[in-house]
Amino acid sequence: MKQKIIFAIQLCTLMGIWIFSIGISIWIIRLIQIANELQDAATGSLAISLVAIPVFLLGASVLTYVFVGLQRERG
């Protein structure tokens, strides 16, 4: 029973990480679109934004890989 609760908590956390990562990516893309529509000058914040998207997705991917690896060890 305790293993199932721990698994459920881990799964919910993993889903939350992915929702957060995808939400941040969508938000950054939308901010870039708005800046383009307003003809805002490209600055360092644009470069940081473009780098942030893969960083968040990579972090979520690594955590997913670790989660799957932990489940294989148990099984």
Short mmCIF file of all heavy atoms in Angstrom, two decimals:
data_model
loop_
_atom_site.label_atom_id
_atom_site.label_comp_id
_atom_site.label_asym_id
_atom_site.label_seq_id
_atom_site.Cartn_x
_atom_site.Cartn_y
_atom_site.Cartn_z
N MET A 1 0.83 -1.20 0.00
CA MET A 1 0.00 0.00 0.00
C MET A 1 0.87 1.25 0.00
O MET A 1 0.60 2.19 -0.73
CB MET A 1 -0.93 -0.04 1.22
CG MET A 1 -1.84 1.12 1.34
SD MET A 1 -3.04 1.10 0.00
CE MET A 1 -4.02 2.47 0.43
N LYS A 2 1.91 1.23 0.83
CA LYS A 2 2.78 2.40 0.93
C LYS A 2 3.50 2.65 -0.40
O LYS A 2 3.68 3.79 -0.79
CB LYS A 2 3.79 2.19 2.06
CG LYS A 2 4.62 3.39 2.37
CD LYS A 2 5.52 3.15 3.56
CE LYS A 2 6.31 4.39 3.88
NZ LYS A 2 7.19 4.18 5.03
N GLN A 3 3.89 1.58 -1.10
CA GLN A 3 4.56 1.71 -2.39
C GLN A 3 3.65 2.39 -3.42
O GLN A 3 4.10 3.19 -4.22
CB GLN A 3 5.00 0.33 -2.91
CG GLN A 3 6.08 -0.32 -2.11
CD GLN A 3 7.44 0.35 -2.36
OE1 GLN A 3 7.58 1.25 -3.18
NE2 GLN A 3 8.44 -0.10 -1.62
N LYS A 4 2.37 2.06 -3.38
CA LYS A 4 1.42 2.66 -4.32
C LYS A 4 1.25 4.15 -4.05
O LYS A 4 1.13 4.95 -4.98
CB LYS A 4 0.07 1.95 -4.25
CG LYS A 4 0.09 0.57 -4.84
CD LYS A 4 -1.28 -0.06 -4.81
CE LYS A 4 -1.24 -1.45 -5.41
NZ LYS A 4 -2.55 -2.08 -5.45
N ILE A 5 1.24 4.53 -2.80
CA ILE A 5 1.11 5.96 -2.44
C ILE A 5 2.35 6.72 -2.90
O ILE A 5 2.24 7.80 -3.49
CB ILE A 5 0.88 6.12 -0.92
CG1 ILE A 5 -0.48 5.55 -0.53
CG2 ILE A 5 0.99 7.59 -0.53
CD1 ILE A 5 -0.72 5.49 0.95
N ILE A 6 3.51 6.14 -2.66
CA ILE A 6 4.75 6.79 -3.09
C ILE A 6 4.78 6.91 -4.61
O ILE A 6 5.15 7.96 -5.15
CB ILE A 6 5.98 6.01 -2.57
CG1 ILE A 6 6.07 6.14 -1.06
CG2 ILE A 6 7.27 6.50 -3.23
CD1 ILE A 6 7.10 5.25 -0.42
N PHE A 7 4.38 5.86 -5.32
CA PHE A 7 4.33 5.90 -6.78
C PHE A 7 3.38 6.99 -7.27
O PHE A 7 3.69 7.73 -8.20
CB PHE A 7 3.92 4.54 -7.35
CG PHE A 7 3.80 4.52 -8.84
CD1 PHE A 7 4.94 4.47 -9.64
CD2 PHE A 7 2.56 4.56 -9.45
CE1 PHE A 7 4.83 4.46 -11.01
CE2 PHE A 7 2.44 4.55 -10.82
CZ PHE A 7 3.58 4.50 -11.61
N ALA A 8 2.22 7.09 -6.64
CA ALA A 8 1.23 8.11 -7.04
C ALA A 8 1.77 9.52 -6.82
O ALA A 8 1.59 10.39 -7.67
CB ALA A 8 -0.07 7.90 -6.28
N ILE A 9 2.44 9.73 -5.71
CA ILE A 9 3.03 11.04 -5.43
C ILE A 9 4.11 11.36 -6.45
O ILE A 9 4.18 12.48 -6.98
CB ILE A 9 3.58 11.11 -4.00
CG1 ILE A 9 2.42 11.05 -2.99
CG2 ILE A 9 4.41 12.37 -3.78
CD1 ILE A 9 2.86 10.86 -1.56
N GLN A 10 4.96 10.38 -6.76
CA GLN A 10 6.02 10.60 -7.75
C GLN A 10 5.43 10.90 -9.13
O GLN A 10 5.91 11.78 -9.84
CB GLN A 10 6.93 9.37 -7.84
CG GLN A 10 7.82 9.18 -6.65
CD GLN A 10 8.60 7.89 -6.72
OE1 GLN A 10 8.19 6.92 -7.36
NE2 GLN A 10 9.74 7.88 -6.04
N LEU A 11 4.39 10.17 -9.49
CA LEU A 11 3.75 10.38 -10.79
C LEU A 11 3.11 11.76 -10.87
O LEU A 11 3.23 12.45 -11.90
CB LEU A 11 2.72 9.28 -11.04
CG LEU A 11 2.19 9.15 -12.45
CD1 LEU A 11 3.33 8.87 -13.42
CD2 LEU A 11 1.16 8.04 -12.53
N CYS A 12 2.44 12.18 -9.81
CA CYS A 12 1.84 13.52 -9.78
C CYS A 12 2.92 14.60 -9.87
O CYS A 12 2.74 15.61 -10.56
CB CYS A 12 1.01 13.70 -8.52
SG CYS A 12 -0.52 12.77 -8.51
N THR A 13 4.02 14.39 -9.19
CA THR A 13 5.12 15.35 -9.25
C THR A 13 5.69 15.42 -10.65
O THR A 13 5.96 16.51 -11.17
CB THR A 13 6.22 14.95 -8.25
OG1 THR A 13 5.67 14.88 -6.95
CG2 THR A 13 7.37 15.95 -8.26
N LEU A 14 5.86 14.28 -11.28
CA LEU A 14 6.38 14.23 -12.64
C LEU A 14 5.44 14.94 -13.62
O LEU A 14 5.89 15.72 -14.47
CB LEU A 14 6.59 12.78 -13.06
CG LEU A 14 7.32 12.54 -14.36
CD1 LEU A 14 8.74 13.06 -14.27
CD2 LEU A 14 7.32 11.06 -14.69
N MET A 15 4.15 14.71 -13.47
CA MET A 15 3.18 15.39 -14.34
C MET A 15 3.22 16.90 -14.09
O MET A 15 3.13 17.69 -15.03
CB MET A 15 1.78 14.84 -14.10
CG MET A 15 1.61 13.45 -14.64
SD MET A 15 -0.05 12.71 -14.55
CE MET A 15 -0.87 13.53 -13.24
N GLY A 16 3.36 17.30 -12.83
CA GLY A 16 3.45 18.72 -12.52
C GLY A 16 4.67 19.36 -13.14
O GLY A 16 4.60 20.50 -13.64
N ILE A 17 5.79 18.65 -13.14
CA ILE A 17 7.01 19.17 -13.76
C ILE A 17 6.80 19.38 -15.25
O ILE A 17 7.20 20.40 -15.80
CB ILE A 17 8.19 18.20 -13.49
CG1 ILE A 17 8.59 18.27 -12.02
CG2 ILE A 17 9.38 18.51 -14.39
CD1 ILE A 17 9.52 17.15 -11.58
N TRP A 18 6.16 18.42 -15.91
CA TRP A 18 5.92 18.56 -17.35
C TRP A 18 4.92 19.68 -17.65
O TRP A 18 5.11 20.44 -18.60
CB TRP A 18 5.46 17.24 -17.95
CG TRP A 18 6.62 16.39 -18.34
CD1 TRP A 18 7.07 15.31 -17.68
CD2 TRP A 18 7.49 16.60 -19.45
NE1 TRP A 18 8.19 14.82 -18.33
CE2 TRP A 18 8.47 15.59 -19.40
CE3 TRP A 18 7.56 17.55 -20.47
CZ2 TRP A 18 9.49 15.49 -20.35
CZ3 TRP A 18 8.57 17.45 -21.41
CH2 TRP A 18 9.52 16.44 -21.35
N ILE A 19 3.89 19.78 -16.84
CA ILE A 19 2.91 20.87 -17.05
C ILE A 19 3.60 22.22 -16.86
O ILE A 19 3.39 23.15 -17.65
CB ILE A 19 1.71 20.71 -16.10
CG1 ILE A 19 0.88 19.50 -16.52
CG2 ILE A 19 0.86 21.97 -16.06
CD1 ILE A 19 -0.19 19.10 -15.52
N PHE A 20 4.44 22.33 -15.84
CA PHE A 20 5.19 23.56 -15.59
C PHE A 20 6.12 23.88 -16.77
O PHE A 20 6.15 25.01 -17.26
CB PHE A 20 5.98 23.43 -14.29
CG PHE A 20 6.89 24.58 -14.00
CD1 PHE A 20 6.37 25.78 -13.52
CD2 PHE A 20 8.25 24.48 -14.22
CE1 PHE A 20 7.20 26.85 -13.25
CE2 PHE A 20 9.09 25.54 -13.96
CZ PHE A 20 8.57 26.74 -13.48
N SER A 21 6.86 22.89 -17.24
CA SER A 21 7.82 23.10 -18.32
C SER A 21 7.13 23.51 -19.62
O SER A 21 7.56 24.44 -20.31
CB SER A 21 8.66 21.84 -18.55
OG SER A 21 9.41 21.53 -17.43
N ILE A 22 6.06 22.82 -19.95
CA ILE A 22 5.33 23.15 -21.18
C ILE A 22 4.65 24.50 -21.04
O ILE A 22 4.66 25.31 -21.98
CB ILE A 22 4.32 22.03 -21.51
CG1 ILE A 22 5.08 20.76 -21.91
CG2 ILE A 22 3.38 22.47 -22.62
CD1 ILE A 22 4.22 19.53 -22.05
N GLY A 23 4.10 24.79 -19.87
CA GLY A 23 3.47 26.10 -19.64
C GLY A 23 4.46 27.24 -19.75
O GLY A 23 4.17 28.27 -20.38
N ILE A 24 5.65 27.08 -19.18
CA ILE A 24 6.68 28.11 -19.28
C ILE A 24 7.08 28.30 -20.74
O ILE A 24 7.27 29.42 -21.21
CB ILE A 24 7.91 27.73 -18.42
CG1 ILE A 24 7.59 27.88 -16.94
CG2 ILE A 24 9.13 28.56 -18.79
CD1 ILE A 24 7.47 29.29 -16.46
N SER A 25 7.23 27.20 -21.48
CA SER A 25 7.62 27.28 -22.89
C SER A 25 6.57 28.03 -23.70
O SER A 25 6.91 28.90 -24.52
CB SER A 25 7.83 25.89 -23.46
OG SER A 25 8.86 25.22 -22.78
N ILE A 26 5.31 27.71 -23.48
CA ILE A 26 4.23 28.41 -24.19
C ILE A 26 4.22 29.88 -23.83
O ILE A 26 4.05 30.75 -24.70
CB ILE A 26 2.88 27.74 -23.89
CG1 ILE A 26 2.83 26.35 -24.52
CG2 ILE A 26 1.71 28.60 -24.38
CD1 ILE A 26 1.65 25.51 -24.09
N TRP A 27 4.43 30.18 -22.56
CA TRP A 27 4.44 31.57 -22.10
C TRP A 27 5.58 32.34 -22.76
O TRP A 27 5.38 33.48 -23.23
CB TRP A 27 4.55 31.58 -20.58
CG TRP A 27 4.63 32.93 -19.96
CD1 TRP A 27 3.67 33.91 -19.99
CD2 TRP A 27 5.71 33.47 -19.21
NE1 TRP A 27 4.10 35.01 -19.28
CE2 TRP A 27 5.35 34.77 -18.80
CE3 TRP A 27 6.95 32.96 -18.83
CZ2 TRP A 27 6.20 35.56 -18.05
CZ3 TRP A 27 7.78 33.76 -18.08
CH2 TRP A 27 7.40 35.05 -17.70
N ILE A 28 6.77 31.75 -22.82
CA ILE A 28 7.92 32.43 -23.43
C ILE A 28 7.68 32.65 -24.92
O ILE A 28 7.96 33.73 -25.44
CB ILE A 28 9.21 31.61 -23.19
CG1 ILE A 28 9.61 31.69 -21.72
CG2 ILE A 28 10.35 32.12 -24.07
CD1 ILE A 28 10.75 30.76 -21.34
N ILE A 29 7.14 31.64 -25.60
CA ILE A 29 6.85 31.79 -27.03
C ILE A 29 5.84 32.90 -27.25
O ILE A 29 5.99 33.73 -28.16
CB ILE A 29 6.35 30.45 -27.62
CG1 ILE A 29 7.50 29.44 -27.66
CG2 ILE A 29 5.76 30.65 -29.00
CD1 ILE A 29 7.08 28.02 -27.96
N ARG A 30 4.84 32.97 -26.41
CA ARG A 30 3.82 34.03 -26.54
C ARG A 30 4.44 35.41 -26.28
O ARG A 30 4.11 36.38 -26.98
CB ARG A 30 2.66 33.78 -25.58
CG ARG A 30 1.53 34.74 -25.73
CD ARG A 30 0.87 34.62 -27.09
NE ARG A 30 -0.06 35.71 -27.24
CZ ARG A 30 -0.19 36.47 -28.32
NH1 ARG A 30 0.54 36.23 -29.39
NH2 ARG A 30 -1.05 37.45 -28.35
N LEU A 31 5.33 35.51 -25.30
CA LEU A 31 5.99 36.79 -25.05
C LEU A 31 6.84 37.22 -26.24
O LEU A 31 6.88 38.41 -26.59
CB LEU A 31 6.88 36.69 -23.80
CG LEU A 31 6.17 36.69 -22.46
CD1 LEU A 31 7.18 36.50 -21.34
CD2 LEU A 31 5.40 37.97 -22.25
N ILE A 32 7.51 36.27 -26.88
CA ILE A 32 8.30 36.59 -28.07
C ILE A 32 7.39 37.05 -29.20
O ILE A 32 7.71 38.01 -29.91
CB ILE A 32 9.15 35.37 -28.48
CG1 ILE A 32 10.22 35.11 -27.42
CG2 ILE A 32 9.79 35.59 -29.85
CD1 ILE A 32 10.97 33.81 -27.59
N GLN A 33 6.24 36.39 -29.36
CA GLN A 33 5.29 36.81 -30.39
C GLN A 33 4.78 38.22 -30.15
O GLN A 33 4.67 39.03 -31.08
CB GLN A 33 4.11 35.84 -30.45
CG GLN A 33 4.44 34.50 -31.03
CD GLN A 33 3.27 33.53 -30.92
OE1 GLN A 33 2.34 33.72 -30.13
NE2 GLN A 33 3.33 32.45 -31.71
N ILE A 34 4.47 38.53 -28.91
CA ILE A 34 3.97 39.87 -28.57
C ILE A 34 5.06 40.91 -28.82
O ILE A 34 4.79 41.99 -29.36
CB ILE A 34 3.47 39.92 -27.11
CG1 ILE A 34 2.19 39.10 -26.97
CG2 ILE A 34 3.24 41.36 -26.66
CD1 ILE A 34 1.74 38.91 -25.54
N ALA A 35 6.29 40.60 -28.43
CA ALA A 35 7.40 41.53 -28.67
C ALA A 35 7.58 41.76 -30.16
O ALA A 35 7.86 42.89 -30.60
CB ALA A 35 8.68 40.99 -28.06
N ASN A 36 7.41 40.72 -30.97
CA ASN A 36 7.53 40.86 -32.41
C ASN A 36 6.39 41.71 -32.98
O ASN A 36 6.62 42.56 -33.85
CB ASN A 36 7.55 39.48 -33.07
CG ASN A 36 7.89 39.54 -34.53
OD1 ASN A 36 8.64 40.41 -34.96
ND2 ASN A 36 7.35 38.61 -35.30
N GLU A 37 5.18 41.50 -32.49
CA GLU A 37 4.03 42.29 -32.95
C GLU A 37 4.20 43.76 -32.60
O GLU A 37 3.79 44.64 -33.36
CB GLU A 37 2.74 41.76 -32.31
CG GLU A 37 2.30 40.42 -32.85
CD GLU A 37 1.13 39.85 -32.08
OE1 GLU A 37 0.57 40.55 -31.19
OE2 GLU A 37 0.77 38.69 -32.34
N LEU A 38 4.80 44.05 -31.45
CA LEU A 38 5.03 45.42 -31.03
C LEU A 38 6.30 46.01 -31.64
O LEU A 38 6.64 47.16 -31.36
CB LEU A 38 5.11 45.50 -29.50
CG LEU A 38 3.83 45.12 -28.76
CD1 LEU A 38 4.09 45.08 -27.26
CD2 LEU A 38 2.71 46.09 -29.09
N GLN A 39 6.98 45.21 -32.46
CA GLN A 39 8.22 45.62 -33.11
C GLN A 39 9.25 46.09 -32.09
O GLN A 39 9.93 47.10 -32.28
CB GLN A 39 7.95 46.69 -34.16
CG GLN A 39 7.05 46.19 -35.27
CD GLN A 39 6.69 47.27 -36.27
OE1 GLN A 39 6.96 48.43 -36.05
NE2 GLN A 39 6.08 46.85 -37.36
N ASP A 40 9.36 45.33 -31.02
CA ASP A 40 10.32 45.61 -29.97
C ASP A 40 11.71 45.21 -30.45
O ASP A 40 11.87 44.23 -31.17
CB ASP A 40 9.95 44.83 -28.71
CG ASP A 40 10.74 45.26 -27.50
OD1 ASP A 40 11.32 46.37 -27.52
OD2 ASP A 40 10.77 44.49 -26.53
N ALA A 41 12.71 45.96 -30.06
CA ALA A 41 14.08 45.66 -30.46
C ALA A 41 14.53 44.36 -29.79
O ALA A 41 14.27 44.13 -28.61
CB ALA A 41 15.01 46.80 -30.07
N ALA A 42 15.23 43.53 -30.56
CA ALA A 42 15.75 42.28 -30.01
C ALA A 42 16.87 42.59 -29.02
O ALA A 42 17.79 43.35 -29.31
CB ALA A 42 16.28 41.40 -31.13
N THR A 43 16.76 42.03 -27.84
CA THR A 43 17.76 42.28 -26.79
C THR A 43 18.25 40.95 -26.24
O THR A 43 17.91 39.89 -26.73
CB THR A 43 17.14 43.12 -25.65
OG1 THR A 43 16.05 42.38 -25.10
CG2 THR A 43 16.66 44.46 -26.15
N GLY A 44 19.04 41.04 -25.18
CA GLY A 44 19.55 39.85 -24.53
C GLY A 44 18.45 39.01 -23.93
O GLY A 44 18.60 37.79 -23.80
N SER A 45 17.36 39.64 -23.55
CA SER A 45 16.26 38.87 -22.95
C SER A 45 15.66 37.90 -23.96
O SER A 45 15.18 36.83 -23.58
CB SER A 45 15.19 39.80 -22.40
OG SER A 45 14.63 40.57 -23.44
N LEU A 46 15.70 38.25 -25.24
CA LEU A 46 15.21 37.33 -26.27
C LEU A 46 16.10 36.08 -26.33
O LEU A 46 15.60 34.96 -26.38
CB LEU A 46 15.19 38.02 -27.63
CG LEU A 46 14.77 37.16 -28.82
CD1 LEU A 46 13.35 36.68 -28.64
CD2 LEU A 46 14.94 37.91 -30.11
N ALA A 47 17.41 36.28 -26.29
CA ALA A 47 18.33 35.14 -26.31
C ALA A 47 18.16 34.28 -25.07
O ALA A 47 18.15 33.04 -25.17
CB ALA A 47 19.76 35.64 -26.42
N ILE A 48 18.01 34.91 -23.93
CA ILE A 48 17.81 34.15 -22.69
C ILE A 48 16.51 33.36 -22.77
O ILE A 48 16.46 32.20 -22.35
CB ILE A 48 17.80 35.11 -21.48
CG1 ILE A 48 19.19 35.70 -21.27
CG2 ILE A 48 17.33 34.39 -20.22
CD1 ILE A 48 19.25 36.83 -20.27
N SER A 49 15.49 33.95 -23.33
CA SER A 49 14.21 33.26 -23.47
C SER A 49 14.32 32.05 -24.38
O SER A 49 13.76 30.99 -24.10
CB SER A 49 13.15 34.22 -24.03
OG SER A 49 12.93 35.28 -23.16
N LEU A 50 15.04 32.21 -25.47
CA LEU A 50 15.19 31.10 -26.41
C LEU A 50 16.04 29.97 -25.82
O LEU A 50 15.86 28.81 -26.18
CB LEU A 50 15.80 31.59 -27.72
CG LEU A 50 14.88 32.49 -28.55
CD1 LEU A 50 15.60 33.02 -29.77
CD2 LEU A 50 13.61 31.76 -28.96
N VAL A 51 16.94 30.30 -24.93
CA VAL A 51 17.75 29.27 -24.27
C VAL A 51 16.96 28.60 -23.14
O VAL A 51 17.15 27.42 -22.86
CB VAL A 51 19.06 29.89 -23.73
CG1 VAL A 51 19.80 28.93 -22.83
CG2 VAL A 51 19.95 30.33 -24.89
N ALA A 52 16.06 29.34 -22.52
CA ALA A 52 15.31 28.82 -21.38
C ALA A 52 14.39 27.66 -21.77
O ALA A 52 14.23 26.71 -20.99
CB ALA A 52 14.50 29.93 -20.73
N ILE A 53 13.81 27.72 -22.95
CA ILE A 53 12.87 26.68 -23.38
C ILE A 53 13.54 25.30 -23.39
O ILE A 53 13.06 24.37 -22.74
CB ILE A 53 12.23 27.02 -24.74
CG1 ILE A 53 11.34 28.26 -24.59
CG2 ILE A 53 11.42 25.85 -25.27
CD1 ILE A 53 10.81 28.80 -25.90
N PRO A 54 14.68 25.14 -24.10
CA PRO A 54 15.29 23.80 -24.07
C PRO A 54 15.80 23.40 -22.69
O PRO A 54 15.81 22.21 -22.35
CB PRO A 54 16.46 23.90 -25.05
CG PRO A 54 16.34 25.18 -25.75
CD PRO A 54 15.32 26.00 -25.04
N VAL A 55 16.19 24.37 -21.88
CA VAL A 55 16.67 24.04 -20.53
C VAL A 55 15.54 23.44 -19.70
O VAL A 55 15.73 22.42 -19.02
CB VAL A 55 17.28 25.29 -19.85
CG1 VAL A 55 17.51 25.05 -18.37
CG2 VAL A 55 18.57 25.70 -20.53
N PHE A 56 14.37 24.04 -19.74
CA PHE A 56 13.23 23.51 -19.00
C PHE A 56 12.83 22.13 -19.52
O PHE A 56 12.56 21.22 -18.74
CB PHE A 56 12.03 24.46 -19.06
CG PHE A 56 12.10 25.58 -18.08
CD1 PHE A 56 12.39 26.87 -18.49
CD2 PHE A 56 11.87 25.36 -16.73
CE1 PHE A 56 12.47 27.91 -17.58
CE2 PHE A 56 11.94 26.39 -15.81
CZ PHE A 56 12.24 27.66 -16.24
N LEU A 57 12.80 21.97 -20.85
CA LEU A 57 12.42 20.69 -21.41
C LEU A 57 13.47 19.62 -21.12
O LEU A 57 13.13 18.45 -20.86
CB LEU A 57 12.18 20.82 -22.92
CG LEU A 57 10.99 21.71 -23.31
CD1 LEU A 57 10.89 21.83 -24.81
CD2 LEU A 57 9.70 21.19 -22.70
N LEU A 58 14.74 19.99 -21.14
CA LEU A 58 15.80 19.04 -20.80
C LEU A 58 15.70 18.61 -19.33
O LEU A 58 15.84 17.43 -19.02
CB LEU A 58 17.17 19.65 -21.08
CG LEU A 58 18.37 18.77 -20.73
CD1 LEU A 58 18.41 17.55 -21.64
CD2 LEU A 58 19.65 19.57 -20.84
N GLY A 59 15.44 19.57 -18.45
CA GLY A 59 15.28 19.24 -17.04
C GLY A 59 14.13 18.27 -16.80
O GLY A 59 14.27 17.30 -16.06
N ALA A 60 13.01 18.53 -17.46
CA ALA A 60 11.86 17.63 -17.31
C ALA A 60 12.18 16.25 -17.89
O ALA A 60 11.78 15.22 -17.32
CB ALA A 60 10.64 18.23 -18.01
N SER A 61 12.92 16.22 -18.99
CA SER A 61 13.29 14.94 -19.60
C SER A 61 14.22 14.14 -18.70
O SER A 61 14.06 12.92 -18.55
CB SER A 61 13.97 15.17 -20.95
OG SER A 61 13.10 15.81 -21.84
N VAL A 62 15.19 14.80 -18.09
CA VAL A 62 16.12 14.11 -17.19
C VAL A 62 15.37 13.55 -15.99
O VAL A 62 15.59 12.40 -15.57
CB VAL A 62 17.26 15.06 -16.76
CG1 VAL A 62 18.05 14.48 -15.61
CG2 VAL A 62 18.17 15.37 -17.93
N LEU A 63 14.48 14.34 -15.42
CA LEU A 63 13.71 13.86 -14.27
C LEU A 63 12.80 12.69 -14.66
O LEU A 63 12.61 11.76 -13.87
CB LEU A 63 12.91 15.00 -13.65
CG LEU A 63 13.78 16.06 -12.97
CD1 LEU A 63 12.92 17.25 -12.55
CD2 LEU A 63 14.50 15.49 -11.77
N THR A 64 12.26 12.71 -15.86
CA THR A 64 11.45 11.59 -16.34
C THR A 64 12.31 10.34 -16.48
O THR A 64 11.91 9.24 -16.10
CB THR A 64 10.78 11.94 -17.68
OG1 THR A 64 9.97 13.10 -17.51
CG2 THR A 64 9.93 10.80 -18.19
N TYR A 65 13.51 10.52 -17.03
CA TYR A 65 14.44 9.40 -17.20
C TYR A 65 14.79 8.78 -15.84
O TYR A 65 14.81 7.56 -15.69
CB TYR A 65 15.69 9.89 -17.92
CG TYR A 65 16.73 8.82 -18.14
CD1 TYR A 65 16.57 7.87 -19.15
CD2 TYR A 65 17.86 8.76 -17.36
CE1 TYR A 65 17.51 6.89 -19.36
CE2 TYR A 65 18.82 7.78 -17.56
CZ TYR A 65 18.65 6.85 -18.56
OH TYR A 65 19.58 5.89 -18.76
N VAL A 66 15.04 9.62 -14.86
CA VAL A 66 15.36 9.14 -13.51
C VAL A 66 14.17 8.39 -12.93
O VAL A 66 14.32 7.32 -12.33
CB VAL A 66 15.79 10.31 -12.60
CG1 VAL A 66 15.86 9.87 -11.14
CG2 VAL A 66 17.11 10.88 -13.05
N PHE A 67 12.97 8.93 -13.09
CA PHE A 67 11.76 8.29 -12.58
C PHE A 67 11.57 6.91 -13.20
O PHE A 67 11.31 5.93 -12.50
CB PHE A 67 10.54 9.17 -12.86
CG PHE A 67 9.24 8.53 -12.49
CD1 PHE A 67 8.86 8.42 -11.16
CD2 PHE A 67 8.38 8.04 -13.45
CE1 PHE A 67 7.66 7.82 -10.81
CE2 PHE A 67 7.19 7.45 -13.12
CZ PHE A 67 6.83 7.35 -11.79
N VAL A 68 11.73 6.82 -14.52
CA VAL A 68 11.57 5.53 -15.20
C VAL A 68 12.65 4.56 -14.73
O VAL A 68 12.38 3.38 -14.50
CB VAL A 68 11.61 5.72 -16.74
CG1 VAL A 68 11.68 4.38 -17.45
CG2 VAL A 68 10.37 6.50 -17.20
N GLY A 69 13.87 5.04 -14.57
CA GLY A 69 14.95 4.18 -14.08
C GLY A 69 14.67 3.65 -12.69
O GLY A 69 14.95 2.48 -12.39
N LEU A 70 14.13 4.49 -11.82
CA LEU A 70 13.79 4.03 -10.46
C LEU A 70 12.69 2.98 -10.50
O LEU A 70 12.71 2.03 -9.71
CB LEU A 70 13.35 5.22 -9.60
CG LEU A 70 14.44 6.20 -9.19
CD1 LEU A 70 13.82 7.40 -8.47
CD2 LEU A 70 15.46 5.51 -8.30
N GLN A 71 11.75 3.12 -11.41
CA GLN A 71 10.66 2.15 -11.50
C GLN A 71 11.17 0.81 -12.03
O GLN A 71 10.70 -0.24 -11.61
CB GLN A 71 9.52 2.68 -12.40
CG GLN A 71 8.85 3.91 -11.85
CD GLN A 71 8.42 3.76 -10.39
OE1 GLN A 71 7.82 2.78 -10.00
NE2 GLN A 71 8.75 4.74 -9.58
N ARG A 72 12.15 0.83 -12.92
CA ARG A 72 12.70 -0.41 -13.44
C ARG A 72 13.45 -1.17 -12.35
O ARG A 72 13.44 -2.39 -12.32
CB ARG A 72 13.63 -0.13 -14.61
CG ARG A 72 12.92 0.23 -15.86
CD ARG A 72 13.85 0.35 -17.02
NE ARG A 72 13.11 0.76 -18.20
CZ ARG A 72 13.67 1.25 -19.27
NH1 ARG A 72 14.97 1.40 -19.33
NH2 ARG A 72 12.95 1.61 -20.30
N GLU A 73 14.14 -0.43 -11.48
CA GLU A 73 14.88 -1.08 -10.39
C GLU A 73 13.92 -1.79 -9.43
O GLU A 73 14.26 -2.81 -8.87
CB GLU A 73 15.72 -0.06 -9.63
CG GLU A 73 16.97 0.36 -10.36
CD GLU A 73 17.82 1.31 -9.54
OE1 GLU A 73 17.55 1.46 -8.33
OE2 GLU A 73 18.75 1.90 -10.11
N ARG A 74 12.77 -1.20 -9.20
CA ARG A 74 11.80 -1.78 -8.26
C ARG A 74 11.13 -3.01 -8.85
O ARG A 74 10.73 -3.90 -8.12
CB ARG A 74 10.73 -0.76 -7.88
CG ARG A 74 11.26 0.31 -7.00
CD ARG A 74 10.14 1.21 -6.55
NE ARG A 74 10.68 2.33 -5.81
CZ ARG A 74 10.02 3.43 -5.57
NH1 ARG A 74 8.80 3.57 -6.01
NH2 ARG A 74 10.56 4.39 -4.88
N GLY A 75 10.90 -2.94 -10.19
CA GLY A 75 10.14 -3.99 -10.85
C GLY A 75 10.92 -5.21 -11.06
O GLY A 75 10.81 -6.31 -10.79
#
